[in-house]
């Protein structure tokens, strides 16, 4: 095929075809428009305020590396006045996290940002290697996900930072929306569409500035800017690579690339219909940019990737849930964590009655935010998820270790 | 005169076949894997390959031909489904042909040229 000129500058050769609108762009115009769009997301959602200290949840992977690079660029270009810090979690998985942490350390130098690494061992007294030694590989992603979510918050608190940004992209959000749709969990679906999550002003707020960025463009941005990132798969979740929601999203994208953003927008529209669950969409749609106060509880997600994104692991867990519904009793802990306090209202296939589902959604107890009796971390129950998991773990810890 | 040259001047059909196989034209390309795909290809990012210039039917080698060739000859890992699904490249893997998105180049039907750089990037891995 003859070279196509860039649709914007009309001079350089187009190297990128944008999934959202098929626009053909050259390297330079693509990088520019990618950054401009993230800037648009940030300003229209009023994500930051001048002088804000912001921690970037950094794994060394493509998404968080691109996020760090873009935020540094935009912070300088548009004078956000942000104080950016890299925050990394060391789960304690030998042979997996070591290499990616080396990448983050290089990123810290490249982007001139301070780096804080928080280990599961110091936070919880357990590395993931030890968790797996105790409970086996099955279900360990739940522990990792719950621990990681809190770890980012706790790490941010150690640094006196109240805002953590993560590298979740449009594909991740679409995937989470589909998963929640498939399990009939509208309230989670609603929360997962918010660009800002977290609780009230006293707690750590989360946001995803790359929410509208295609994973494909993130990878291309990293490639064309020659960013230094690391890709690996968590050694404890080889199945994450085959996550079904992920495969579904990618297959949809192949047929109709706009499907990903369409799912995100549909999710936002559905979220608006969920009572008491304010959600947002791109703030430029003419309304005040909302800062929804959704309680963050996507904790079970995110293995195979570092900053707690809902990767294939959560899908794998969900598939397992669907497939092995009869065996639920054996996996009581995981189920409790994932469905929070709505025991008996599991909306998957065995709860066949449609009316039951439609009735029970509004009946879901409202999340009441308190603090964990044991650790003081925000929790809607007596014990936070991490402390519940730790209780089980510590019971199983061999006497010698205590 | 070597045996080879005697064969190349031979007239029997068997001899001609042997020549065709032996002197099959090749093209030199560089194939790279990243985003986690390295693990399927001996943990090696960059592979300098010499591949047949035409397929078994004599048509120029395309990216589709290359993908099949890589599965047969270069991939040491048994998990082919992480690279190919239903005879096509797995959705979620990007291909850059000399740095250009393969969607701009005709995707699987692009005819590979000598000296091409073809990069396969997985977007499926964690970030």
């Amino acid at each position: 095929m003859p070279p196509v000129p860039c649709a914007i500058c009309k001079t350089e050769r187009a190297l990128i075809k944008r999934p959202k609108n098929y626009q053909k762009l050259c390297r330079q115009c693509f990088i520019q428009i990618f950054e401009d769009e993230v800037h648009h997301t940030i300003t229209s959602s009023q994500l930051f305020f001048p002088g804000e200290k912001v921690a970037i949840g950094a794994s060394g992977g493509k998404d968080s590396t691109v996020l760090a690079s873009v935020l540094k660029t935009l912070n300088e270009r548009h004078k956000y006045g942000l104080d950016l810090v890299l925050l990394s979690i060391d789960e304690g998985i030998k042979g997996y996290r070591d290499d990616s942490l080396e990448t983050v350390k290089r990123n810290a130098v490249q982007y001139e940002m301070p780096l804080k690494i928080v280990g599961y061992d110091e936070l919880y007294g357990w590395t993931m290697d030890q968790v797996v030694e105790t409970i086996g590989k099955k279900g360990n992603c739940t522990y990792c996900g719950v621990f990681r979510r809190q770890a980012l918050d706790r790490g941010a608190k150690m640094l006196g930072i109240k805002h953590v940004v993560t590298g979740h992209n449009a594909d991740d959000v679409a995937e989470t929306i589909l998963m929640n749709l498939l399990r009939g969990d509208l309230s989670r679906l609603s929360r997962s569409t918010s660009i800002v999550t977290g609780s009230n002003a006293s707690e750590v707020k989360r946001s995803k500035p790359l929410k509208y960025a295609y994973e494909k463009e993130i990878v291309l941005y990293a490639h064309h800017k020659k960013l230094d990132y690391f890709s690996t798969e968590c050694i404890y979740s080889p199945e994450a690579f085959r996550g079904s929601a992920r495969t579904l999203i990618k297959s949809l994208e192949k047929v109709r690339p706009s499907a990903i953003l369409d799912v995100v927008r549909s999710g936002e529209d559905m979220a608006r219909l969920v009572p008491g669950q304010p959600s947002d969409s791109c703030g430029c749609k003419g309304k005040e940019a909302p800062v929804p106060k959704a309680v963050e509880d996507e904790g079970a997600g995110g293995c195979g990737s570092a900053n707690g994104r809902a990767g294939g692991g959560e899908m794998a867990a969900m598939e397992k849930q669907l497939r092995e519904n009869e065996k639920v009793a054996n996996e009581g802990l995981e189920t409790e964590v994932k469905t929070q306090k709505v025991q008996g209202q599991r909306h998957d296939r065995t709860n066949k009655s449609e009316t039951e589902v439609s009735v029970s959604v509004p009946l879901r107890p409202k999340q009441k935010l308190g603090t964990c009796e044991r650790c003081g971390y925000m929790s809607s129950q007596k014990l936070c998820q991490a402390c519940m998991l730790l209780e089980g773990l510590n019971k199983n810890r061999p006497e010698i270790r205590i | 005169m070597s045996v080879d040259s005697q064969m190349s001047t031979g007239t029997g059909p068997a001899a001609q076949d042997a020549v065709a196989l032996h002197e099959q034209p090749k093209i030199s390309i560089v194939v790279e894997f990243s985003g986690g795909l390295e693990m399927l290809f001996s943990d090696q990012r960059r592979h300098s390959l010499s591949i047949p210039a035409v397929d078994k039917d004599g048509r120029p080698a395309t990216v589709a031909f290359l993908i099949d060739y890589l599965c047969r000859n270069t991939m040491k890992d048994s998990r082919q489904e992480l690279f190919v699904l239903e005879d096509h490249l797995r959705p979620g893997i990007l291909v850059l042909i000399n740095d250009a998105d393969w969607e701009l180049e005709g995707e699987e039907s692009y005819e590979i040229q000598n000296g091409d750089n073809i990069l396969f990037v997985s977007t499926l891995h964690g970030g």
Side-chain angles (χ1 to χ4, degrees):
Chain A
M1 285 192 178
V4 185
C6 170
I8 294 178
C9 69
K10 320 273 189 210
T11 51
E12 295 298 312
R13 179 184 170 205
L15 292 179
I16 289 104
K17 187 174 165 192
R18 302 199 73 192
K20 65 193 238 179
N21 56 12
Y22 306 109
Q23 203 175 28
K24 295 166 183 171
L25 301 179
C26 72
R27 186 191 325 254
Q28 207 45 53
C29 292
F30 165 71
I31 287 173
Q32 181 71 39
I33 206 166
F34 183 90
E35 291 166 354
D36 286 350
E37 288 182 1
V38 177
H39 173 63
H40 175 82
T41 304
I42 289 170
T43 51
S44 62
S45 309
Q46 297 174 18
L47 280 193
F48 306 123
F49 58 83
E52 189 173 12
K53 271 188 103 174
V54 175
I56 301 168
S59 66
K62 58 181 165 36
D63 300 299
S64 58
T65 303
V66 166
L67 180 61
S69 170
V70 170
L71 282 185
K72 178 181 171 62
T73 303
L74 295 178
N75 194 31
E76 289 167 2
R77 181 181 301 158
H78 299 286
K79 307 202 168 39
Y80 292 165
L82 298 180
D83 189 358
L84 297 167
V85 176
L86 296 173
L87 176 58
S88 288
I89 306 303
D90 186 356
E91 296 91 344
I93 305 176
K94 284 222 163 51
Y96 164 61
R97 188 46 87 205
D98 312 345
D99 293 335
S100 52
L101 283 178
E102 287 308 309
T103 310
V104 179
K105 287 175 191 166
R106 287 198 303 275
N107 288 342
V109 177
Q110 289 153 0
Y111 304 142
E112 301 167 301
M113 292 179 195
L115 166 66
K116 168 80 179 169
I117 300 175
V118 195
Y120 280 8
D121 48 354
E122 60 177 299
L123 285 174
Y124 306 110
W126 288 81
T127 64
M128 276 313 290
D129 283 338
Q130 291 167 339
V131 170
V132 170
E133 220 173 89
T134 307
I135 64 153
K137 290 190 178 185
K138 202 178 166 188
N140 77 84
C141 294
T142 303
Y143 289 77
C144 198
V146 169
F147 288 170
R148 182 186 302 116
R149 179 156 298 283
Q150 291 205 4
L152 276 177
D153 288 4
R154 290 170 190 228
K157 277 187 179 171
M158 282 181 201
L159 297 167
I161 295 179
K162 290 183 174 172
H163 190 169
V164 177
V165 290
T166 57
H168 293 83
N169 58 46
D171 296 52
D172 295 329
V173 175
E175 195 179 291
T176 311
I177 289 169
L178 274 188
M179 277 169 15
N180 286 318
L181 184 72
L182 292 176
R183 61 181 166 214
D185 194 339
L186 267 184
S187 61
R188 268 194 174 195
L189 184 151
S190 158
R191 287 195 292 275
S192 68
T193 60
S194 302
I195 192 164
V196 179
T197 51
S199 61
N200 49 54
S202 68
E203 284 295 341
V204 177
K205 160 174 130 177
R206 295 287 188 98
S207 67
K208 1 185 209 277
L210 299 181
K211 181 190 167 189
Y212 296 108
Y214 274 76
E215 189 155 56
K216 173 179 173 178
E217 296 202 346
I218 288 173
V219 171
L220 290 176
Y221 183 88
H223 173 78
H224 288 298
K225 286 226 23 171
K226 300 193 171 30
L227 301 185
D228 181 7
Y229 72 94
F230 186 79
S231 20
T232 186
E233 198 61 19
C234 174
I235 53 174
Y236 292 135
S237 66
E239 285 304 299
F241 194 61
R242 281 191 283 262
S244 305
R246 195 148 205 79
T247 308
L248 177 57
I249 287 282
K250 295 297 179 192
S251 304
L252 286 172
E253 181 186 25
K254 182 88 191 136
V255 183
R256 202 170 72 98
S258 67
I260 290 178
L261 275 185
D262 292 341
V263 169
V264 173
R265 300 231 157 85
S266 301
E268 290 171 350
D269 287 346
M270 282 188 272
R272 249 174 251 125
L273 302 174
V274 178
Q277 299 282 354
S279 183
D280 56 352
S281 56
C282 177
C284 65
K285 283 181 184 166
K287 58 186 172 110
E288 297 273 302
V291 183
K293 291 175 184 166
V295 175
E296 187 62 61
D297 69 344
E298 301 159 15
C303 42
S305 61
N307 44 22
R309 76 196 227 157
E314 189 176 350
M315 187 59 195
M318 187 189 104
E319 276 185 309
K320 191 172 71 186
Q321 207 179 0
L322 292 171
R323 206 168 50 235
E324 302 181 4
N325 241 340
E326 295 77 4
K327 298 186 205 156
V328 149
N330 302 333
E331 297 172 2
L333 188 54
E334 189 168 339
T335 306
E336 277 161 32
V337 169
K338 297 193 72 147
T339 57
Q340 297 264 300
K341 58 207 165 185
V342 287
Q343 280 158 325
Q345 293 188 15
R346 297 167 40 93
H347 305 305
D348 28 49
R349 283 181 208 157
T350 46
N351 281 5
K352 55 293 140 189
S353 156
E354 278 179 30
T355 47
E356 193 176 42
V357 172
S358 63
V359 166
S360 63
V361 168
L363 285 182
R364 267 164 194 268
K366 280 231 175 82
Q367 300 265 10
K368 259 197 227 119
L369 203 60
T371 49
C372 171
E373 283 181 354
R374 195 158 296 165
C375 70
Y377 186 82
M378 65 166 174
S379 169
S380 49
Q381 299 175 9
K382 271 184 165 178
L383 287 186
C384 71
Q385 292 179 345
C387 285
M388 269 167 54
L389 294 176
L390 282 172
E391 193 170 65
L393 280 177
N394 288 331
K395 273 182 200 153
N396 289 324
R397 201 192 270 272
E399 293 293 325
I400 314 155
R401 307 195 64 128
I402 300 175
Chain B
M1 275 285 179
S2 69
V3 176
D4 268 336
S5 60
Q6 277 172 7
M7 277 178 67
S8 68
T9 54
T11 50
Q16 278 175 357
D17 277 1
V19 170
L21 270 179
H22 189 70
E23 294 184 358
Q24 200 178 36
K26 299 264 188 181
I27 43 179
S28 299
I29 57 171
V30 171
V31 177
E32 294 184 77
F33 301 97
S34 78
L37 284 174
E38 307 91 317
M39 70 174 183
L40 300 179
F41 296 88
S42 325
D43 282 320
Q44 189 186 326
R45 179 187 164 103
R46 192 185 155 93
H47 296 249
S48 292
L49 300 177
S50 179
I51 65 162
V54 293
D55 66 13
K56 61 178 171 17
D57 301 319
R59 288 186 300 244
T62 60
V63 172
F65 172 82
L66 173 67
I67 290 168
D68 184 59
Y69 179 91
L70 292 172
C71 287
R72 289 173 197 272
N73 301 286
T74 317
M75 193 188 298
K76 299 284 181 273
D77 201 288
S78 61
R79 291 170 295 172
Q80 235 178 59
E81 74 279 5
L82 298 184
F83 189 59
V84 170
L85 272 185
E86 292 164 2
D87 292 332
H88 293 284
L89 190 69
R90 192 188 165 99
I93 296 176
L94 307 181
V95 186
L96 300 185
I97 299 170
N98 302 321
D99 241 12
D101 190 336
W102 75 332
E103 291 180 33
L104 299 169
E105 303 284 348
E107 301 193 31
E108 287 189 346
S109 64
Y110 171 81
E111 291 176 8
I112 297 175
Q113 309 296 311
N114 196 49
D116 275 353
N117 178 299
I118 299 182
L119 167 65
F120 294 89
V121 197
S122 173
T123 65
L124 300 164
H125 276 67

